[in-house]
Amino acid sequence: MLSRLDPSVGRLLISEPFLTDPNFKRSVVLIAEHQEEGTVGFVLNQPSALFLKDLIPELEDTDFPVYIGGPVGTDTVHFIHRCHDRLNDGEEIAKGIYWGGNFEALKILLANNSIEQDEIRFFIGYSGWGMEQLKREIKENTWIVSDQYHPDVVFNNNEEDLWREVIINLGPKYAHVSNFPSNPNLN
């Protein structure tokens, strides 16, 4: 499963079907930053048991789920969104998808119920790769790089099926992979 695309901002990293690392097993990672020094991304399909109100007490009325963005910086909160029209902030990382922004303004919008759950996703931690690390992992077929997805996929609340959905979306060459069991020894 050799990827022909290079990683870049806004693309997805899709883990190979038999990756056993618990941080990335059957994961889909949105790349938010990719530079010579390294890459930053967020795992889209790894929910935590937390809600935003558990992390930010003044948002006690918000039931927004928090996802595990990756194993790095697990004491940090990040967000991606598609509500730039109201937040007027954030770095566009894909068409209509923004990373970060003014958190104080965001808290006001959330308190006023001006943002829906399908417009924003919160993460604790992030995924990070050093200078050559991601390139090496892609060469080893650990990741498939894709730019073939609809922005709705990023905010999809069906985490269990997200990996399968993006694999199928890659086309017939990859569709059969979506049916591989997570543990080949059970086959």
Side-chain angles (χ1 to χ4, degrees):
M1 276 195 281
L2 187 60
S3 171
R4 298 289 176 228
L5 288 178
D6 289 327
S8 66
V9 172
R11 290 188 173 163
L12 298 178
L13 296 175
I14 307 161
S15 68
E16 66 91 5
F18 303 121
L19 184 65
T20 57
D21 180 338
N23 295 307
F24 298 110
K25 183 178 181 178
R26 298 228 169 174
S27 65
V28 178
V29 178
L30 175 64
I31 299 174
E33 183 175 295
H34 181 73
Q35 300 178 3
E36 193 173 305
E37 300 84 36
T39 303
V40 170
F42 301 102
V43 178
L44 298 174
N45 57 334
Q46 198 172 81
S48 75
L50 299 171
F51 290 92
L52 189 60
K53 64 184 177 184
D54 298 326
L55 301 174
I56 310 199
E58 62 262 35
L59 295 174
E60 65 188 49
D61 294 329
T62 59
D63 286 334
F64 287 77
V66 176
Y67 291 78
I68 300 168
V72 183
T74 55
D75 59 344
T76 60
V77 176
H78 304 269
F79 63 98
I80 57 173
H81 61 91
R82 56 179 170 185
C83 49
H84 190 269
D85 59 326
R86 282 158 280 149
L87 191 55
N88 296 316
D89 202 1
E91 183 177 335
E92 190 169 33
I93 58 175
K95 186 164 176 58
I97 300 172
Y98 298 83
W99 173 27
N102 182 322
F103 200 72
E104 293 305 313
L106 176 62
K107 288 194 307 191
I108 293 168
L109 290 168
L110 290 169
N112 292 332
N113 296 315
S114 299
I115 296 178
E116 299 294 323
Q117 285 190 20
D118 65 352
E119 297 179 295
I120 195 162
R121 181 152 295 186
F122 294 94
F123 303 94
I124 49 174
Y126 62 92
S127 301
W129 292 267
M131 213 173 354
E132 295 294 317
Q133 182 184 4
L134 183 56
K135 215 180 271 188
R136 187 174 53 254
E137 289 181 15
I138 290 169
K139 197 177 277 190
E140 294 168 351
N141 293 325
T142 302
W143 300 102
I144 300 167
V145 181
S146 175
D147 61 359
Q148 301 294 312
Y149 67 95
H150 190 278
D152 288 348
V153 163
V154 173
F155 301 95
N156 182 336
N157 287 328
N158 191 354
E159 300 88 15
E160 287 186 32
D161 290 336
L162 183 61
W163 179 85
R164 188 172 191 277
E165 181 181 330
V166 295
I167 288 284
I168 290 170
N169 199 39
L170 292 173
K173 178 179 175 186
Y174 294 97
H176 70 285
V177 172
S178 70
N179 294 318
F180 286 1
S182 57
N183 183 344
N185 295 324
L186 298 177
N187 208 8

